[in-house]
Amino acid sequence: MDMKYILRKKRDGEELSEEEIKFFIKGVSNGTIHEAQIGAMLMAIFIKGMTQQECVTLTKEMVFSGDTMQWPAKFRGSLVDKHSTGGVGDKVSIPLAPALAACGLKVPMLTGRCLSFTGGTLDKLESIPGFRISLTDTEMQSCLEEVGCFMMGTTERICPADKVLYKIRDLTSTVDYYNLIASSILSKKASEGIDYLIMDLKVGSATFMKDVESARVLAHQKINLSKLLGFKTRILLTRHETPLGRCVGNSLEIFESIEILRGKNVPLIKDLILHIGGHALHLSGKTSSVEEGELKMREVLENGKALECFKNMLIKQGVSEEVSHQLCFGDTRSALPQAKYQTRILAQNTGWINRIEAFPIGKVCYELGKTNENSSDTLNRSTGVELLKTVDEFVEINEPWILVHHSEEQLNEDHINALKASITISSVRIEIENQLIEVI
Ligand code: URA
């Protein structure tokens, strides 16, 4: 088979056959297709689209590109995961996985790096000194058996095709096409050998999905595709206009995740964690209602059981006993990388904060952390922003509302202006819309 012929076909908008997609994914995984051709193929798919059948074949082939995790029969019915389409300050997975484990579920989480302006769970986890994002089979088994969860990246053995495509999509601006998002997420989830998946499908100005109608189409497609792949999916459409929580940036988000695991009520994120966890417990039959699941989640987040699971997961994944202890029970910030410089930006009016736009904040944070245009492997882990004030809070003129953590002494004027323009302060307090739009 000839890759140039397959590329021409997709470029001209034709449907690819099963054999052609198989050939492409095989070559992506074993390195026999040139990166230029992979980039061209992704761009052709992005522009010309894919049929449902092509998307099903692509996803299945991505799963078959590696091994599927195998679990003992006693875990059946308890194997659950969650995935988000990506957001600014979206650190939900980090407290959620240990909280679900503390509720008795098994969470073998395969997660990803930053894509475009949205942060990646792997990048955040890698800001923890010693944390290993690659585990052997024996280590995975022992994490699930003894702790109940782990979080790792795709490897040369588990979903290798996504490992390659994910990176090239980010480099070629071909991230935000729903069939590519669906195949990337669901191939990883199928490789985990799970029974249930909760999908947080973000909708709004700070996401790849700008409108509810397109999100519904993607949601139904994902539910059908996951059935074919052997697990059951429930999708939460959630609104995403404002950064989730107060921190955006890798090590800052680890700090905030641990605050949540220590029982703190962080705005715009704790409730989301409770909802997602509540649905995971209900979908897997561990509770008889979502509300009961939410109560269970609140309990483990507030009684220290989720934090204990998190600490045990850190130790299993390479973090020393001492660092894990300091992170979880001591001065968390000082155990994490910290940026050399901090700059406070002041409010230009007095009033209620009605809006803080996540998209420009995500872009500024991405640029503050970027050390190499062509690679997310060399991100600066300590940079980002902290919202000292967020939506539905009152701010006085000249009061600092955002703290920027940066590694260069001088903060770029464009970044300062973008941050200043991202906030809307008004004398009128408006009601903040519910984050959860609908459950599918
Ligand atoms: N998360 C993924 O794993 N893949 C995507 O394409 C988007 C979010």
Side-chain angles (χ1 to χ4, degrees):
M1 214 168 274
D2 176 14
M3 192 56 211
K4 283 193 276 184
Y5 167 77
I6 299 176
L7 270 173
R8 260 198 313 273
K9 219 175 143 183
K10 188 41 68 189
R11 181 201 66 189
D12 295 342
E14 287 177 50
E15 182 170 4
L16 299 181
S17 69
E18 198 173 318
E19 280 62 42
E20 286 160 344
I21 294 174
K22 253 187 199 164
F23 176 83
F24 173 64
I25 290 300
K26 194 157 180 229
V28 165
S29 329
N30 64 19
T32 53
I33 294 181
H34 198 286
E35 283 199 353
Q37 292 182 313
I38 301 175
M41 180 61 141
L42 289 168
M43 189 56 84
I45 290 175
F46 188 91
I47 294 169
K48 296 294 179 176
M50 274 195 290
T51 62
Q52 277 294 312
Q53 189 49 50
E54 282 178 300
C55 182
V56 171
T57 310
L58 179 73
T59 313
K60 283 188 169 166
E61 290 308 317
M62 285 169 74
V63 180
F64 298 148
S65 72
D67 297 337
T68 301
M69 296 177 193
Q70 301 296 325
W71 304 114
K74 63 180 177 185
F75 291 173
R76 277 286 144 234
S78 299
L79 289 154
V80 175
D81 196 9
K82 163 268 168 188
H83 205 94
S84 150
T85 48
V88 177
D90 186 354
K91 57 201 73 74
V92 167
S93 295
I94 300 165
L96 181 85
L100 290 176
C103 293
L105 292 175
K106 302 289 177 193
V107 191
M109 190 180 280
L110 271 185
T111 181
R113 292 197 179 282
C114 75
L115 269 180
S116 182
F117 60 92
T118 64
T121 303
L122 279 188
D123 302 311
K124 294 169 198 175
L125 290 167
E126 275 191 332
S127 63
I128 301 175
F131 192 90
R132 280 193 297 116
I133 58 160
S134 179
L135 299 173
T136 64
D137 280 357
T138 317
E139 286 168 331
M140 288 187 227
Q141 295 285 341
S142 109
C143 278
L144 275 213
E145 184 75 57
E146 292 165 37
V147 182
C149 63
F150 61 77
M151 294 186 213
M152 63 179 265
T154 48
T155 67
E156 269 65 38
R157 231 173 41 67
I158 311 277
C159 221
D162 186 61
K163 191 176 166 72
V164 178
L165 294 178
Y166 199 87
K167 194 165 178 173
I168 300 183
R169 279 170 64 211
D170 191 40
L171 291 174
T172 54
S173 291
T174 51
V175 171
D176 39 345
Y177 171 48
Y178 63 84
N179 275 325
L180 289 177
I181 297 177
S183 57
S184 164
I185 295 180
L186 294 179
S187 60
K188 282 196 280 289
K189 302 299 120 177
S191 304
E192 293 171 357
I194 51 169
D195 304 306
Y196 305 103
L197 173 68
I198 302 292
M199 183 83 229
D200 178 10
L201 208 168
K202 303 220 161 286
V203 189
S205 59
T207 73
F208 305 125
M209 277 292 138
K210 305 291 179 213
D211 66 282
V212 177
E213 219 19 78
S214 324
R216 282 198 193 107
V217 173
L218 175 61
H220 286 291
Q221 184 200 338
K222 277 188 172 174
I223 289 174
N224 292 336
L225 187 47
S226 66
K227 263 188 219 146
L228 292 174
L229 295 168
F231 56 94
K232 196 168 173 187
T233 297
R234 186 179 291 175
I235 302 199
L236 273 54
L237 299 193
T238 65
R239 206 178 309 280
H240 184 43
E241 312 281 352
T242 309
L244 294 171
R246 293 191 187 273
C247 293
V248 184
N250 295 310
S251 66
L252 291 165
E253 292 191 44
I254 293 294
F255 164 74
E256 191 165 57
S257 300
I258 296 173
E259 292 272 280
I260 296 165
L261 287 162
R262 286 174 118 171
K264 192 166 169 187
N265 190 9
V266 179
L268 300 175
I269 190 145
K270 173 105 177 238
D271 283 352
L272 189 58
I273 295 169
L274 297 179
H275 283 324
I276 295 177
H279 278 282
L281 286 161
H282 179 239
L283 182 66
S284 58
K286 298 290 179 267
T287 59
S288 54
S289 68
V290 175
E291 292 71 27
E292 189 191 333
E294 288 180 354
L295 281 176
K296 255 187 131 166
M297 285 290 294
R298 187 181 288 283
E299 200 179 300
V300 296
L301 284 170
E302 290 174 6
N303 68 10
K305 291 208 167 128
L307 182 66
E308 198 59 43
C309 277
F310 180 70
K311 181 183 169 223
N312 293 337
M313 180 188 82
L314 294 183
I315 294 170
K316 285 267 181 208
Q317 296 200 226
V319 183
S320 71
E321 182 76 56
E322 195 189 335
V323 170
S324 311
H325 187 84
Q326 188 181 344
L327 278 167
C328 297
F329 304 109
D331 176 5
T332 308
R333 276 192 203 257
S334 64
L336 292 167
Q338 294 184 62
K340 204 161 166 197
Y341 303 101
Q342 270 135 36
T343 301
R344 297 183 307 169
I345 295 181
L346 310 182
Q348 289 167 308
N349 300 303
T350 293
W352 289 97
I353 303 177
N354 286 342
R355 191 173 164 86
I356 295 182
E357 281 180 69
F359 180 65
I361 291 188
K363 268 183 77 185
V364 168
C365 289
Y366 174 69
E367 283 164 20
L368 287 174
K370 209 169 54 177
T371 54
N372 176 351
E373 185 65 50
N374 294 325
S375 169
S376 53
D377 298 348
T378 53
L379 288 176
N380 187 327
R381 313 257 173 230
S382 61
T383 51
V385 302
E386 256 181 288
L387 299 176
L388 306 172
K389 294 276 176 178
T390 189
V391 287
D392 206 31
E393 291 178 347
F394 195 82
V395 68
E396 300 281 351
I397 188 164
N398 289 333
E399 191 183 349
W401 70 274
I402 190 165
L403 182 65
V404 187
H405 296 249
H406 47 112
S407 55
E408 303 288 330
E409 188 167 4
Q410 209 54 44
L411 197 52
N412 171 329
E413 270 307 306
D414 290 345
H415 290 163
I416 297 178
N417 292 336
L419 293 174
K420 282 185 176 166
S422 70
I423 186 167
T424 308
I425 301 172
S426 156
S427 57
V428 185
R429 184 180 189 178
I430 59 162
E431 202 174 322
I432 302 301
E433 281 180 302
N434 208 328
Q435 268 176 305
L436 185 62
I437 303 169
E438 66 188 62
V439 178
I440 297 179

